[in-house]
Amino acid sequence: MAKDYYGILGVSRDASADDIKRAYRKLARQYHPDVNPDPVAADKFKDINAAYEVLSDDQKRQIVDLGGDPLAPGGAPGGGPGGAGPFVGFQDIMDAFFGAAAGSRGPRSRTRPGADAILRLELDLTDTAFGVEAPITVDTAVICTTCSGAGTAAGTHLATCEACGGRGEVQSVQRTFLGQVVSSRPCVACQGYGTVIPHPCATCSGDGRVRTRRSLTVKIPAGVEDGMRIRLAQQGEVGPGGGTAGDLYVEIHERPHDVYSRKGDDLHCRVTVPMTAAALGTRLTIRTLDSDEPVDVKPGTQPGATLRLRGRGVPHLRGTGRGDLYVHLDVRTPTKLDAEQERALREFAKARGEEVAELTKQGGFFSRMRDAFNGHG
Ligand code: ZN
């Protein structure tokens, strides 16, 4: 039984040659194995090819219109079962239809943009807070000064590649049901450049760039944070053939500080005051990142109390002003009392009407403490 070639392409029996071409192109876009990995699509694409082969050929189409199948065995000379001849790549089909001029892709440039580079920079809190001009050592490809990036030895020049005649690609012609299809592949002899370097620069072996270590100064703005990146335009890797350098990113890593921990632009620290100072009140001098600040601890301060020093934190990176400094107070109970201190404390407790247990060798301390607590509810 003859295949319904019109149905496969989705065109009517009186479709024009243009209609058939358009239908085929549309279906090829949808089902070509290069663009559709589904195995079912591959089978469908075979049918689509066969239908196009038949309907785009006036003689074969006539056989179809008379109820025959030009691709059936013995149906007509030339076509075998499945028809369609050699496998044709999707791009080649599109080129055949749109007439992409052979050679329009042309040789590729020896000069290509370079890659970005990244460098880790460790900084102290004072530097991230107030900014710093930090010296850095950068290890990247730079332009070869011997040949200025050309890759050729002094007094020599690039030569046209003989294998491809300078086109950078070689073409092969396939005879297919679409007619002749020209495929292009990059020239192996010149890697697609169209030129070769007969006498490479001895310094860079023809690459136009060399790796080197250089020193730079990077300006770190005040208020940067751990993990931020500073971009230095065109300080990255120089590209092949001396191509424009990529960017260099300097990634900030803030060393932990002995005293302060940082949360955003706020700083936190812990200060220990003796029990008596917490009870009586005192004045402390807090050393901030950039100043000494007198701070009053109010009488009756409890353990865990927090003092806030406005504007003594890290400067804001954007805008003005600074974060705050939080001082967390620990209250220390004396661990060793001499006889006089102990007597004074007992006097103090007595004055407050607090019952004080005495530590006995029999462990009476604990029982009497319990009594004391029970007694006061
Ligand atoms: Zn060179």
Side-chain angles (χ1 to χ4, degrees), residues 44-315:
K44 195 153 166 67
F45 184 63
K46 254 184 227 161
D47 285 344
I48 293 162
N49 271 350
Y52 182 72
E53 178 183 349
V54 167
L55 297 182
S56 63
D57 181 312
D58 283 347
Q59 280 186 335
K60 290 177 182 167
R61 185 172 176 181
Q62 208 171 9
I63 296 171
V64 172
D65 290 344
L66 293 170
D69 186 344
L71 296 185
F87 180 81
V88 182
F90 178 70
Q91 192 53 51
D92 293 330
I93 289 176
M94 291 301 131
D95 286 356
F97 277 116
F98 294 108
S104 68
R105 293 171 217 171
R108 62 190 186 117
S109 173
R110 285 190 171 272
T111 305
R112 288 200 306 278
D116 293 339
I118 187 161
L119 183 132
R120 187 187 156 104
L121 178 63
E122 295 226 344
L123 291 174
D124 288 328
L125 177 59
T126 44
D127 292 336
T128 55
F130 301 117
V132 68
E133 302 217 338
I136 52 172
T137 305
V138 190
D139 200 341
T140 62
V142 298
I143 196 154
C144 174
T145 49
T146 308
C147 64
S148 306
T152 47
T156 71
H157 298 280
L158 296 175
T160 302
C161 174
E162 285 174 12
C164 65
R167 284 187 302 276
E169 56 189 13
V170 283
Q171 296 171 342
S172 61
V173 178
Q174 275 182 300
R175 192 173 301 277
T176 74
F177 62 94
L178 296 171
Q180 287 193 345
V181 171
V182 180
S183 330
S184 302
R185 304 280 176 266
C187 174
V188 207
C190 64
Q191 286 99 52
Y193 294 127
T195 54
V196 291
I197 303 177
H199 306 285
C201 166
T203 309
C204 65
S205 308
D207 197 28
R209 54 183 182 163
V210 287
R211 286 211 80 78
T212 190
R213 188 170 281 241
R214 67 207 147 98
S215 297
L216 288 176
T217 302
V218 54
K219 198 169 155 36
I220 306 294
V224 292
E225 257 185 272
D226 192 70
M228 280 184 177
R229 290 178 177 184
I230 311 282
R231 176 173 163 269
L232 302 183
Q234 294 191 10
Q235 293 288 356
E237 307 277 352
V238 159
T244 316
D247 297 333
L248 172 66
Y249 290 90
V250 177
E251 190 172 275
I252 311 272
H253 288 265
E254 191 179 88
R255 290 192 194 99
H257 192 272
D258 289 344
V259 174
Y260 301 111
S261 61
R262 177 173 176 179
K263 289 196 180 75
D265 288 340
D266 292 333
L267 296 175
H268 295 259
C269 69
R270 307 196 75 87
V271 170
T272 302
V273 294
M275 176 186 81
T276 41
L280 300 170
T282 188
R283 170 165 281 205
L284 301 174
T285 300
I286 300 289
R287 173 148 292 178
T288 73
L289 284 180
D290 55 337
S291 62
D292 286 340
E293 300 287 325
V295 173
D296 287 332
V297 176
K298 290 198 186 76
T301 291
Q302 300 297 313
T306 301
L307 304 172
R308 178 182 182 186
L309 280 66
R310 286 180 188 276
R312 302 321 306 179
V314 173

